[in-house]
Amino acid sequence: MTQVAAVVEGRRNEEADLRVVPARFVGRWVAAVAVLGILAMTIYAMFTNERFHWDVVGEYLFAAPVISGLGKTLMLTGISMLIGVLLGIVVAVCRLSSNPILSTAAWAYSWFFRGTPLMVQLLFWFFLAALVPTIGLGVPFGPELLSIDTNSVISPFTAALLGLSLNEGAYMGEIVRSGIRAISPGQTEAAKAIGMSRLQTMRRVVLPQAMRVIIPPTGNETIGMLKYTSLVIVIGYSELLTSVSIIYSRNFQTIPLLIVAAIWYLAVTAVFSVGQHFIERHFERGFTPMKGKKPPTPGTAETVVPSAAEPAAAQANEPELEPTK
Amino acid sequence: MSEPMLRARNVHKSFGHLEILKGISLEVQAGQVACLLGPSGSGKSTFLRCINHLEKINDGELWVAGERIGYRRSGNKLHELKENQTAKQRAAVGMVFQQFNLFPHRTALENVIEGPVVVQKRNKAQALREGMELLDRVGLADKYKHYPAQLSGGQQQRVAIARALALKPRLMLFDEPTSALDPELVGEVLDVMGSLAASGMTMIVVTHEMGFAKEVGDVVHFMADGQLVESGSPTQVLGNPRETRTQAFLSKVLA
Ligand SMILES: Nc1ncnc2c1ncn2[C@@H]1O[C@H](COP(=O)(O)OP(=O)(O)OP(=O)(O)O)[C@@H](O)[C@H]1O
Ligand SMILES: [Mg+2]
């Protein structure tokens, strides 16, 4: 601190070419050394401790049932999040609608699915057949045209998917709603004034801007979902954690196999985080004037009035400019 | 006699129990620049928003270029238009807002072509060409790649004018287009509006810029408390107002 002040002071006193000495942050170095030391010790302790059985970890890390479980975890996470996000958009739009029936229904949905434990919901879907033995398609309160045995539809996979995505939809609804509400009404007004329909306004004006607010918590939700999929162990769908537990129930190498699962969860989380970074950067366009590409400064050769063909060529491969069908 | 560009007959608008517009009747002829003056809260913005059917009127009638806004008459019933028909009517009326309301996630040029491409489904290459011409017309062709946050207030408002013009509107509405600007940026926007007026565009301008009203305006309408108090030429209304309410307002504004 005093060094910085001294440098500033020095600049004021003499206009001569002074050398700027950056302030030294001694505390930072001390902290870094301490952290690295603790980390090294922990790793050393873990790898020299026989009871961790790293050989077993290595043996099972790429074992077929583990990889197959990982694939199922990823599939469950991906599809549940996709349905969850789409449901969330629908729920949010309904919540904000001026139609009282729609907004109440959306509120009730959120209340119910956020208010009951996910585990209960999963079991409920799995045992749906006990409650509703057949699912029928027909005239309401009238004759049934088509009737299917519930057990043939509700497999562990569909039960898991239903449970996870309906639950996610309720949370995403709240996230999307806060994102939409963050956009000033002037934006909707301007969109309407140029003749956009409500759907166009939502798709082209409100949601792309709301994404900035929606993406970070959605990243959290995705990483959460990755781990919530392990709850489907209660209905016997063999995702990563279930697969691992089947193995350790046979060979009793519980800790090494849990480490195998943890390594995979951590790896996938790392990949998701990188993906989130790029998605965030995409939706940050136009909002951070100081960072990113600098616009051409006035007075340079670049600012010559471009011919109409030039922007056309420059932006021809930007998909969001395509006319909506 | 030719059809006026805007015809308002006895327009009423309430929010809840509060009546904001208490029967506005006025006409704006094609090519005319009508300036709308009045104290804050008198309903000027609300009236402009009704012309664009951004607000539904409670009573009275509005026509733009002979077309009834927001409703279709059959017999002695008025049927509210469907959303896509309202949208088409809105596209024929350009609107410029006090707060610019440019789309921040789109560049200047993307803002301008959004309406033609997305709403009017026009050919994109042509829209880009015309978009560049419009940006050139408001003096911003070199800024076509800039995002709104990279532009000054005056530049943003000029892009907003270009965006409204891109739909080839027959009528342009301006709601205090310079009120949010630093004083030194007001001139560049008024210049663009002046040349637009000179090109024959029909314009309704809510403004507190008396100089603009005098030089560019063909008629001045003074509104107070949801009613049209006085209309006339700028020299008459601004220089020699008949009504006491107009006099009181002008003495405050010009003081
Ligand atoms: N959506 C709304 N709901 C309720 N009241 C409203 C709404 N919009 C406007 N008002 C009220 O209507 C009145 C007139 O508003 P309006 O914006 O039309 O006035 P104005 O003449 O444009 O004023 P200003 O010069 O301040 O812009 C105000 O008292 C305002 O509070
Ligand atoms: Mg106003």
Side-chain angles (χ1 to χ4, degrees), chain A residues 211-234:
Chain A
M211 280 301 181
R212 286 178 69 231
V213 182
I214 293 173
I215 295 289
T218 305
N220 270 343
E221 288 293 305
T222 311
I223 289 167
M225 176 66 87
L226 179 71
K227 289 166 296 168
Y228 282 134
T229 55
S230 62
L231 280 180
V232 305
I233 198 164
V234 297

Side-chain angles (χ1 to χ4, degrees), chain B residues 13-16 18-21 37-49 55 98 175-176 179 206 208 223 225-226:
Chain B
K13 174 70 198 175
S14 306
F15 291 111
L18 200 64
E19 194 170 39
I20 302 301
L21 298 180
L37 305 184
S40 180
S42 55
K44 307 177 298 289
S45 299
T46 305
F47 182 60
L48 284 197
R49 292 161 50 78
E55 300 286 358
Q98 184 175 347
D175 192 358
E176 301 196 37
S179 298
V206 174
H208 294 302
M223 259 176 85
D225 201 17

Side-chain angles (χ1 to χ4, degrees), chain B residues 91-235:
Chain B
V93 179
M95 187 145 186
V96 175
F97 303 88
Q98 184 175 347
Q99 298 299 338
F100 330 135
N101 293 345
L102 288 179
F103 305 133
H105 57 307
R106 303 203 187 280
T107 63
L109 183 60
E110 288 170 353
N111 263 281
V112 174
I113 67 166
E114 186 75 5
V117 173
V118 175
V119 177
Q120 297 182 330
K121 316 262 187 246
R122 294 222 300 264
N123 174 289
K124 191 174 145 208
Q126 195 195 337
L128 283 167
R129 208 162 32 242
E130 291 178 7
M132 281 309 295
E133 282 165 19
L134 281 168
L135 284 178
D136 194 27
R137 193 164 152 193
V138 298
L140 290 171
D142 56 332
K143 300 273 193 287
Y144 75 97
K145 262 186 180 169
H146 289 232
Y147 285 99
Q150 298 165 326
L151 299 171
S152 74
Q155 291 170 335
Q156 288 188 53
Q157 193 60 297
R158 281 145 66 198
V159 173
I161 294 173
R163 175 176 70 178
L165 290 175
L167 292 151
K168 305 189 197 306
R170 311 190 58 179
L171 171 65
M172 284 283 285
L173 309 175
F174 294 84
D175 192 358
E176 301 196 37
T178 57
S179 298
L181 296 177
D182 291 339
E184 75 269 23
L185 302 177
V186 168
E188 61 187 62
V189 172
L190 292 182
D191 285 349
V192 167
M193 290 168 62
S195 65
L196 189 60
S199 77
M201 176 61 78
T202 314
M203 297 164 47
I204 303 178
V205 185
V206 174
T207 186
H208 294 302
E209 296 292 331
M210 296 303 155
F212 179 84
K214 255 183 219 150
E215 278 166 40
V216 182
D218 296 306
V219 269
V220 169
H221 299 283
F222 177 73
M223 259 176 85
D225 201 17
Q227 284 165 324
L228 203 59
V229 174
E230 182 167 358
S231 301
S233 71
T235 28

